[in-house]
Amino acid sequence: MKNTITLILCCFLSTTLLKAQDSCSKFYPMVEGAAYEYTNYNKKNKVEGVTNYKVASVTQNGGDTQATMAMTYQDKKGKELFNSDYHITCSNNTVRVDYKSLFPSQMMKQYEDMGMEMDITGTDIELPNNLTVGQDLADANIAVALSMSGMKMNFNVDMTDRTVEKRESVTTAAGTFDCYLITETNTSQTMGAEQQMNSKLWLAEGVGIIKQETYKKNGNLVSRMELSKFSG
């Protein structure tokens, strides 16, 4: 259970920015059927798994744009570890995520059957339409609290020190893209144990996340994620 939640929180760190509409952000062309594939690598450049996203539906509700994203994660052998449909709302240049829907419904039901209560809270990641080098971006976080028969477990991830460092060209299997490089600090607390990582995120207009790298505090690479396929 702990490993599953940790994996989902890691997916949150690398995918929450995949949740903007054209009317709110010029970085993500969110239309029904748009699909993204990301390949995940470990520190030794070995494939660890593949994450796929697809815009399942898009609806308008007044001035809000609401979308459902379908996500699946497969390990390096192609075995699906989990899938989830989660909901987002884009309004007034701000994207709001339904954090409860981020977790697979099957896993939620299993916890309920075990008599376990889950509370999910968080602060949305915000991405302005106009990025500039040197710009500081707002912090974000997600927190999960579990309780059962008096036993409590807490999982938390904070994203801080988010800064637009520079612009540069990045090439992956999906092509070559002109990107903004955003750096940030990710601090996770799992069952009382705290761990701090530094992240680099390359972001391209009209596509979204192109590449992400995560490092330990000492600068050693931990993992890398790259856009391997995209259809918008």
Side-chain angles (χ1 to χ4, degrees):
M1 178 177 66
K2 173 182 173 182
N3 291 337
T4 301
I5 293 179
T6 300
L7 179 59
I8 292 173
L9 293 182
C10 289
C11 285
F12 163 79
L13 292 179
S14 61
T15 66
T16 302
L17 286 177
L18 282 173
K19 304 175 177 70
Q21 288 289 333
D22 288 336
S23 59
C24 288
S25 174
K26 62 186 178 183
F27 288 94
Y28 303 101
M30 300 297 283
V31 295
E32 289 187 11
Y36 305 78
E37 178 191 271
Y38 291 90
T39 302
N40 305 281
Y41 302 86
N42 62 20
K43 62 182 180 180
K44 296 182 179 180
N45 203 35
K46 302 289 186 179
V47 175
E48 286 287 290
V50 174
T51 309
N52 283 280
Y53 303 87
K54 185 175 183 178
V55 183
S57 65
V58 178
T59 59
Q60 299 292 330
N61 183 11
D64 295 348
T65 302
Q66 299 175 334
T68 298
M69 297 289 295
M71 173 183 71
T72 61
Y73 180 81
Q74 297 176 324
D75 64 16
K76 59 185 177 182
K77 295 182 179 179
K79 179 182 178 181
E80 183 176 304
L81 298 185
F82 65 85
N83 64 77
S84 179
D85 290 342
Y86 54 92
H87 314 296
I88 59 96
T89 300
C90 189
S91 177
N92 298 324
N93 296 320
T94 300
V95 177
R96 301 191 307 275
V97 181
D98 180 353
Y99 289 100
K100 187 173 183 179
S101 70
L102 181 66
F103 284 72
S105 58
Q106 183 178 6
M107 185 182 75
M108 296 282 287
K109 186 178 186 305
Q110 289 177 344
Y111 288 172
E112 291 176 358
D113 291 343
M114 294 167 57
M116 183 173 292
E117 296 181 358
M118 176 183 288
D119 183 38
I120 306 170
T121 58
T123 303
D124 297 346
I125 291 178
E126 296 183 359
L127 185 70
N129 278 333
N130 298 312
L131 295 180
T132 58
V133 175
Q135 182 178 5
D136 292 328
L137 305 178
D139 296 343
N141 85 299
I142 184 170
V144 181
L146 299 174
S147 62
M148 182 177 66
S149 302
M151 180 181 66
K152 295 183 178 181
M153 294 172 284
N154 296 304
F155 307 86
N156 188 78
V157 177
D158 292 312
M159 303 172 66
T160 59
D161 304 320
R162 301 176 63 225
T163 303
V164 182
E165 293 288 341
K166 60 181 178 179
R167 295 188 69 166
E168 62 182 6
S169 178
V170 174
T171 299
T172 72
T176 299
F177 306 89
D178 180 28
C179 298
Y180 287 94
L181 170 59
I182 299 174
T183 59
E184 63 188 40
T185 299
N186 300 325
T187 304
S188 61
Q189 295 180 341
T190 306
M191 303 293 289
E194 183 174 294
Q195 185 176 39
Q196 182 175 306
M197 298 285 186
N198 296 315
S199 175
K200 293 182 179 181
L201 180 76
W202 285 265
L203 191 69
E205 294 183 15
V207 181
I209 296 174
I210 303 303
K211 183 171 73 169
Q212 183 178 36
E213 294 177 346
T214 303
Y215 297 84
K216 292 182 179 179
K217 290 180 65 176
N218 62 10
N220 291 339
L221 180 68
V222 175
S223 62
R224 185 178 91 255
M225 180 187 77
E226 291 188 357
L227 180 68
S228 42
K229 294 180 182 178
F230 168 69
S231 61

